[in-house]
Amino acid sequence: MAKRTPFYDLHVKANAKIVDFAGWDMPLHYGSQLQEHHEVRQHAGLFDVSHMGVVDLHGQDATDYLRRLLANNVDRLVLGKALYTCMLNEEGGVIDDLIVYKVSDNQYRIVINAGTREKDLAWMRMQAEAFEINLVERLDLAMLAIQGPEIREKLSSLFPADQAETLRQLKPFHFITFNDWFIARTGYTGEDGYEMIFPAHEADTIWQACLAAGIALCGLGARDTLRLEAGLNLYGSDMDESVTPLESNLAWTVVFDPKERQFIGRQALEKQSEQGIKRRLVGLVLEGPGVIRNHQKVMIEGDGEGEVTSGGYSPTLEKSIALARVPADIGTHCLVEIRHKHIAAQVIKPPFVRNGKKVF
């Protein structure tokens, strides 16, 4: 039987199309995926992301543990700040991408992907054996993302005036806590917004407050087209344990200094850097008819082939776009095989859209 978030009955009541996602019954859309996409780009949207894993880490070795576990360096964090990073295996392959938040010197919160939740926890616990730490999966919490250019002005409808003003002043990739609430200015859409973690028993109350504030319900379909336009990787499509961050447009999340920090996968990444990256992740913008789909072949004249990792239609640009893993020295154009036809595409560095506007 599929798992369900605390919002499941509310999704059903809102006439959501429910689909299986990583073993969870989740809303694909509430009637129009296209409309939901535009709501987030132009106004404000609400996503149930309670299927993601929330893990609290605490103990005297918490920081040392994360220095070893993660490719990005948690020493960059100050209290109240968030860090995006990959968690790697010894070969440098991506076990998962995640966000870690520094709550105190000995306490962190980690948010992991739904599809890798059990695998992540098993790996994290195995790596924890040499450290004085405690990992707690917070099954008592719910999580919502509110995203879009109008979201900051709608905060006054959701929170008391002083809290709303504090949230409006919060910097990107920072967080604050209100009693049992944990609110970060992060998201997965390319728009401004917040991700809110709170006790599951408050799910109905905050859901109704968001609807009353005019925040539109949005499902997984819009979440995927939004993140693709923003050039954000999807685990299992654009990266997995068979590729490294250096091949996945995530070299910026790998910190090699200081040299004495021996994070898991470091030696493999250093070797790959020395030998030169053979393939990389790029953006594609289709210049002819059709829609690019996952796993379609990408052809580079005189330079081999690549593969689409995420493809689809961009509602904002009104054309097809994709992420593709291709030979590292690809030029500015290529061909994509769509229904046995070779269609020209422009090669760009993601993102495609930022703050609702074309950026390439």
Side-chain angles (χ1 to χ4, degrees), residues 278 297-306 326-335 342:
K278 303 293 190 299
K297 186 185 300 183
V298 179
M299 290 149 291
I300 301 95
E301 185 175 356
D303 198 23
E305 298 177 349
V326 297
D329 56 356
I330 189 173
T332 60
H333 286 79
C334 64
L335 297 172
H342 296 169

Side-chain angles (χ1 to χ4, degrees), residues 99 145 147 173 184-191 193-195 223 232:
I99 296 182
Q147 303 278 296
F173 259 70
R185 196 169 170 193
T186 51
Y188 193 55
T189 62
E191 295 295 329
Y194 300 83
E195 291 175 310
R223 185 168 166 84
L232 300 174

Side-chain angles (χ1 to χ4, degrees), residues 129-147:
E129 294 175 358
F131 298 90
E132 290 292 329
I133 62 161
N134 191 23
L135 287 165
V136 180
E137 185 181 14
R138 297 297 305 273
L139 300 175
D140 58 320
L141 300 176
M143 185 172 177
L144 286 178
I146 50 176
Q147 303 278 296

Side-chain angles (χ1 to χ4, degrees), residues 27 42 45 47 63 65 67 88 92 133 156 159 164-165 175 191 212 242 265 327 337:
Q42 299 168 14
F47 300 86
T63 301
Y65 168 72
R67 287 185 183 120
L88 310 179
I133 62 161
S156 57
F159 299 95
E165 184 56 29
F175 70 91
E191 295 295 329
S242 70
E337 187 173 80

